Amino acid sequence: MTHEVTVTGYGVRTAFGEGAEALRRGVFAGVPAFRPTTRFDTAPYRTAVAAAAPDGAGDSVEGWALRDALGQCGALALGMAGLGVGAEAAVLLGVAGDHRSVTRYWRGAGDSVPVAPGGSPYEGRGSVAAGRAVPRAPIGARLADAVPARLAELVAGGLGLTGSRLTFTNACVASAAAIIHACRLISSGRIEVAVCAGGYLVEEETFGKFDSGRALSRDGMVRPFSADRTGLLLGDGVAAVVLESAEHARRRGARPLASVVGWGAATDAHHIAQPHPQGAGLARAAQQALRRAGDPDGASLDYVNAHGTGTKYNDGAETRGLRAAFPKHAESIPVSSTKSTTGHLLEAAGVVEFVITMLALLDGVLPPTAGYGSPDPECDLDYVPNDPRPADVRRALTINAAFGGANTALVLERP
């Protein structure tokens, strides 16, 4: 017996702030969150720009541990779903760990670093006055945040959840892979509820790596699918979603926000960093998801939330992959990249863009590809340039890709 998968809650944070309204003001309005960051010294790098929450702002995540941000989004998702402490729910994370704890350790930061405003429900946390570091857990406990599997244990424990725990570290598809695995577990009847989360907060370790690879935008903007695109920029992103079987949700009177009707994953292993030039793995992942959704040629799709990094290699390959996935309908389906406003959220990209795609279904508005300028002959689809577009969105596809040729696809449907 196959069980339907529904979404009953979510929590989300980006550089725009917390929750759906922040996304509507930023992502859906086509307003980029990019600005020079003072989170660390950017003088050694080619750019100082990221979509990081402004330092010192009331809704800033600067200074938080990643586990705190994951825990907060998880608590918001559980609250929306009507689930509480002690719930039998699996926890599946997509993270690479918290590099900042390692950086601070090697730089001799000692035992005093900031924590979440008002303290944290997680082990080893104390209270904090705004902008002031206070003593907290021993160095070893903080360095545990750099271990992805340990983060899953800490987040699940902090939320009081009693199910199994699993962490995915496969780069920019990590949180999408967590969602896909949860869907498989729920669909097969092995579990009834899962909290799937992912997070990345802009920090110097990864910023420096992307800078050294010359992947960061040269002009402080991300222009996916546009001929004048010059690269990506990183951004803060943390989100959690509650997935459960439709029957379980009905039994407890929970309101379904959306259904996950299709999912797929494929690896083409073309190159360690560059995508397959024809988007072969992405096309296969999308075709798997569409077949599972009962729509192998994509005729029912009303929107595609693209990976859309704004890099030279990704956008053309992704366009060709979408054409291969549903050749009869590619030109008529609107496609947009919300990384043009949020930046690239790395391990969190899948789950944050899942929430954005779900809001497009619920609100009847397509988020635009901000900053779109002149057309690129290699990118010849409808990219919803610059402005939001009202639309009756019944079904949508969200796709992600990662280093090593990993690709994921998820099909969401409005209830």
Side-chain angles (χ1 to χ4, degrees):
M1 180 179 178
T2 300
H3 300 264
E4 297 178 11
V5 181
T6 62
V7 187
T8 54
Y10 66 88
V12 61
R13 290 190 71 99
T14 64
F16 297 111
E18 179 184 290
E21 286 306 315
L23 292 177
R24 291 179 180 117
R25 291 193 306 268
V27 173
F28 284 83
V31 179
F34 306 117
R35 60 177 66 86
T37 182
T38 58
R39 191 169 289 183
F40 47 85
D41 181 11
T42 57
Y45 308 118
R46 296 177 181 86
T47 183
V49 177
D55 300 336
D59 61 355
S60 174
V61 291
E62 164 58 5
W64 291 38
L66 181 57
R67 78 163 92 160
D68 293 309
L70 289 164
Q72 184 193 52
C73 286
L76 290 169
L78 287 166
M80 185 182 295
L83 293 168
V85 174
E88 178 68 25
V91 173
L92 297 91
L93 298 188
V95 291
D98 193 334
H99 289 300
R100 291 178 303 165
S101 59
V102 178
T103 303
R104 285 168 172 154
Y105 173 78
W106 287 116
R107 289 184 177 177
D111 291 328
S112 294
V113 291
V115 298
S120 165
Y122 301 98
E123 68 177 42
R125 295 301 193 259
S127 61
V128 63
R132 187 183 71 213
V134 296
R136 63 174 206 180
I139 286 174
R142 294 203 309 275
L143 288 179
D145 285 4
V147 181
R150 181 62 175 152
L151 271 177
E153 293 291 333
L154 293 168
V155 171
L159 294 172
L161 302 178
T162 61
S164 57
R165 294 91 187 260
L166 188 63
T167 303
F168 293 79
T169 60
N170 44 344
C172 307
V173 300
S175 55
I179 293 172
I180 288 171
H181 192 67
C183 288
R184 289 169 174 159
L185 294 174
I186 293 169
S187 175
S188 64
R190 283 177 282 180
I191 64 172
E192 290 193 302
V193 184
V195 176
C196 300
Y200 172 72
L201 303 178
V202 175
E203 39 70 48
E204 190 172 9
E205 172 84 9
T206 304
F207 191 95
K209 290 175 180 176
F210 275 86
D211 179 78
S212 66
R214 299 179 183 270
L216 299 181
S217 170
R218 298 189 298 272
D219 58 8
M221 293 294 291
V222 178
R223 298 182 173 90
F225 306 110
S226 182
D228 56 352
R229 64 191 185 275
T230 65
L232 62 85
L233 291 169
L234 301 179
D236 285 344
V238 184
V241 295
V242 175
L243 305 181
E244 56 185 302
S245 71
E247 177 56 31
H248 185 270
R250 280 193 292 269
R251 285 201 307 268
R252 62 184 196 86
R255 181 175 72 93
L257 302 173
S259 297
V260 187
V261 294
W263 52 86
T267 303
D268 54 51
H270 168 72
H271 187 274
I272 193 170
Q274 296 176 13
H276 189 287
Q278 300 302 316
L282 185 147
R284 286 199 295 271
Q287 287 166 339
Q288 287 178 31
L290 290 169
R291 283 197 298 271
R292 184 169 190 94
D295 179 25
D297 65 356
S300 67
L301 285 181
D302 301 305
Y303 169 63
V304 176
N305 184 282
H307 188 59
T309 60
T311 59
K312 175 184 176 183
Y313 290 108
N314 176 89
D315 296 359
E318 185 169 8
T319 299
R320 289 185 283 275
L322 291 174
R323 283 190 169 276
F326 31 85
K328 295 179 181 179
H329 304 285
E331 292 185 1
S332 63
I333 300 172
V335 176
S336 70
S337 169
T338 51
K339 291 182 179 68
S340 60
T341 54
T342 66
H344 198 338
L345 313 177
L346 303 185
E347 289 79 14
V351 65
V352 173
E353 290 163 13
F354 181 95
V355 172
I356 291 169
T357 303
M358 184 169 61
L359 288 177
L361 294 174
L362 298 174
D363 292 355
V365 177
L366 304 182
T369 301
Y372 186 88
S374 53
D376 182 337
E378 291 192 350
C379 303
D380 55 358
L381 301 178
D382 174 7
Y383 299 112
V384 194
N386 297 310
D387 297 309
R389 182 185 301 174
D392 182 14
V393 189
R394 177 69 179 174
R395 270 192 176 183
L397 171 71
T398 179
I399 52 178
N400 290 100
F403 285 168
N407 302 271
T408 57
L410 289 148
V411 179
L412 284 76
E413 183 175 275
R414 192 178 71 212

